[in-house]
């Protein structure tokens, strides 16, 4: 219905403004179950161009944080360096690695 469409547009706009998305991907997700872990690995793989297994490994190193895993992979940075970079960009993956 129209109300649902409007609410979806509002929530999508808020997620974009809060830097929780990158392109059409929700990159700021909490890995709390196997389904979300699989999704996080696939997102990491898509953004880095790495295999599923390599993406799973880097996501584990990144403590389950997709944004940090992408930064670590794309910029060849450590966990701590990646956290600092992400914080300095106000959580915006787009500011760090560009737009897709």
């Amino acid at each position: 219905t129209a109300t649902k469409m409007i609410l979806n547009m509002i929530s999508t706009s808020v997620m974009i403004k809060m830097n929780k998305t990158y392109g059409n991907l929700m990159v700021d997700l909490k890995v709390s179950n196997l389904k979300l872990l699989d999704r996080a690995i696939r997102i990491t793989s898509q953004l880095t161009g790495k295999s599923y297994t390599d993406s799973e490994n880097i996501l584990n190193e990144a403590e389950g944080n997709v944004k940090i895993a992408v930064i670590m992979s794309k910029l060849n940075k450590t966990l701590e360096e990646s956290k600092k970079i992400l914080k300095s960009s106000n959580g915006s993956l787009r500011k760090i690695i560009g737009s897709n």
Side-chain angles (χ1 to χ4, degrees):
T1 64
T3 305
K4 183 177 179 184
M5 288 175 53
I6 292 169
L7 290 173
N8 282 341
M9 288 188 307
I10 292 169
S11 66
T12 299
S13 297
V14 169
M15 293 298 173
I16 291 168
K17 293 280 186 197
M18 294 177 63
N19 296 317
K20 297 201 175 280
T21 62
Y22 183 78
N24 65 342
L25 300 171
M26 176 67 81
V27 292
D28 203 5
L29 60 91
K30 301 254 188 262
V31 177
S32 58
N33 59 42
L34 290 177
K35 179 181 173 185
L36 290 175
L37 174 61
D38 178 62
R39 182 178 299 158
I41 294 168
R42 287 185 289 114
I43 290 170
T44 302
S45 179
Q46 183 175 344
L47 293 178
T48 62
K50 295 193 178 290
S51 70
Y52 186 92
T53 304
D54 289 343
S55 296
E56 182 176 20
N57 292 336
I58 197 138
L59 189 63
N60 286 331
E61 289 178 40
E63 300 172 344
N65 186 309
V66 173
K67 289 180 180 180
I68 291 175
V70 171
I71 295 166
M72 289 173 67
S73 178
K74 288 273 205 183
L75 303 180
N76 198 27
K77 299 291 183 183
T78 66
L79 175 63
E80 292 307 315
E81 290 170 330
S82 298
K83 285 180 179 180
K84 288 178 186 175
I85 292 168
L86 187 60
K87 186 175 181 178
S88 72
S89 74
N90 198 29
S92 175
L93 194 56
R94 189 171 290 103
K95 287 180 184 175
I96 300 165
I97 64 170
S99 61
N100 58 349

